[in-house]
Amino acid sequence: MELALDRPVKTFVEVTEVWVPKGDTLVLAEGYYGTLTAFEEASRQTAFAKGEGLPGKAWAEARPVVLKGFDGSYFKRIEAAREAGLTSAVAIPVFAGKELKAVLVVLCGDDENRTGAIEVWAEKDGVLMLDDGYYGAAKHFEWVSQHTQFPRGQGLPGGVWSAETPILMRDLGSGYRFVRAESAGKAGLTTGLGLPVPVPGGKSFVLTLLSALGTPIARRFEIWDARRAGRGEAVLIDGICAREGPLWTGEAEPERKVSAWQGLVGRALGTGVPVVESGVPGLSAGYDTMTALPIHRAGEVSHIVAWYC
């Protein structure tokens, strides 16, 4: 998961998987494993009943789940994960109303240089509070996050909660809109992507992906809006590339649209299921892998967030 022209030491996320319901179990639809072939093989031989393992827990509890340590936990692939150097994971359920479309799972390793954050914020007593998160080496930023809460409209999580749409923030360390700017700057965090995680029952969850230059979650982020385009289409409304900056330079440029089933973003739009692909012609030049995560509202895909590594 590296950009060939500007290779970091390591990326923050090492494995990305899409688990889909088949009968009463979840099976692996696709995933990116890099060189971790033994863990990939163990995953392809695994299925999860509702409530079983990390994907099954996210399905049964209808919420995103963070697991920061595998030993002694409900994680099913502990030995294979240990051999692969994987130490933590986050599972994000994708619901269309009450129907589970898929569970997206990202897995990370841990070392003193790996910095970033994958956070889950949950509504409690009228504010968003940290449900859990994985921060790598950003320990002080983790402590600050554990002691921070967001009302509607405040900061990245509160902004996503209020707007019910994905939001992309730049320059986290100096941005006045980012409440934790000082600690983010010290941790080297530069870019933040926040997105709502709709689940049955109406409880609000927000997922935030906070990326650092040295160990980035992604080299490129995109937000596509399926409500502003025609039916069966999505338009690019925001994006950033670590190397080139904004993905467009002025309002005079034509809208960038995709239709359902057109390319990888279009496949996520057409199926309503996350897409994880690597080494295919549909990828933008210079990237090894791409993840597209659809967000459902009122029974239809409202947005797609995509990140490229």
Side-chain angles (χ1 to χ4, degrees):
M1 297 175 65
E2 302 170 353
L3 184 59
L5 299 178
D6 186 20
R7 294 183 182 274
V9 176
K10 287 185 179 180
T11 51
F12 193 68
V13 174
E14 294 200 36
V15 171
T16 306
E17 305 174 320
V18 178
W19 297 86
V20 296
K22 183 177 181 181
D24 57 358
T25 62
L26 292 172
V27 298
L28 184 67
E30 56 193 23
Y32 174 78
Y33 295 88
T35 61
L36 303 179
T37 53
F39 185 76
E40 178 179 4
E41 183 60 28
S43 301
R44 295 193 181 281
Q45 297 177 10
T46 304
F48 297 95
K50 194 171 186 178
E52 183 181 30
L54 182 61
K57 185 178 179 70
W59 180 13
E61 298 186 5
R63 65 181 183 91
V65 178
V66 178
L67 185 56
K68 290 190 286 190
F70 296 153
D71 289 343
S73 74
Y74 51 82
F75 194 79
K76 283 186 66 174
R77 298 166 284 167
I78 292 176
E79 188 59 36
R82 183 185 297 115
E83 292 178 359
L86 301 170
T87 57
S88 58
V90 181
I92 304 110
V94 179
F95 281 96
K98 295 182 179 180
E99 178 192 359
L100 181 77
K101 303 289 287 186
V103 177
L104 181 72
V105 176
V106 297
L107 298 104
C108 307
D110 194 8
D111 59 52
E112 62 183 10
N113 298 316
R114 198 185 306 261
T115 298
I118 303 174
E119 305 174 314
V120 174
W121 298 86
E123 177 187 1
K124 184 177 181 181
D125 299 327
V127 296
L128 285 180
M129 302 183 69
L130 185 67
D131 187 66
D132 209 344
Y134 173 67
Y135 296 85
K139 301 303 182 186
H140 180 261
F141 185 78
E142 179 176 7
W143 183 89
V144 170
S145 302
Q146 291 169 343
H147 295 81
T148 304
Q149 59 188 33
F150 295 94
R152 283 185 183 273
Q154 185 181 63
L156 179 57
V160 171
W161 184 23
S162 177
E164 296 186 339
T165 62
I167 294 175
L168 187 59
M169 277 191 178
R170 290 102 164 141
D171 302 322
L172 298 185
S174 58
Y176 69 94
R177 294 175 58 204
F178 194 73
V179 172
R180 298 166 287 163
E182 182 179 357
S183 54
K186 291 178 179 178
L189 301 174
T190 56
T191 305
L193 175 66
L195 56 140
V197 184
V199 296
K203 188 172 181 180
S204 295
F205 290 96
V206 172
L207 177 75
T208 51
L209 307 176
L210 309 179
S211 193
L213 288 178
T215 51
I217 288 176
R219 289 292 185 179
R220 176 184 177 117
F221 293 100
E222 298 173 348
I223 299 176
W224 296 80
D225 192 335
R227 305 168 307 170
R228 287 177 44 178
R231 189 173 181 84
E233 293 182 320
V235 59
L236 183 67
I237 60 170
D238 203 356
I240 189 171
C241 173
R243 285 180 60 86
E244 292 108 22
L247 300 186
W248 56 85
T249 58
E251 296 181 0
E253 295 184 27
E255 286 187 327
R256 303 185 191 184
K257 291 183 179 180
V258 296
S259 300
W261 306 102
Q262 176 190 359
L264 301 178
V265 172
R267 178 147 66 91
L269 177 62
T271 62
V273 172
V275 171
V276 177
E277 283 288 359
S278 60
V280 297
L283 280 178
S284 297
Y287 298 100
D288 290 334
T289 185
M290 176 264 206
T291 301
L293 175 61
I295 299 168
H296 295 257
R297 289 288 181 191
E300 296 184 347
V301 174
S302 65
H303 294 84
I304 298 164
V305 294
W307 54 92
Y308 301 75
C309 300

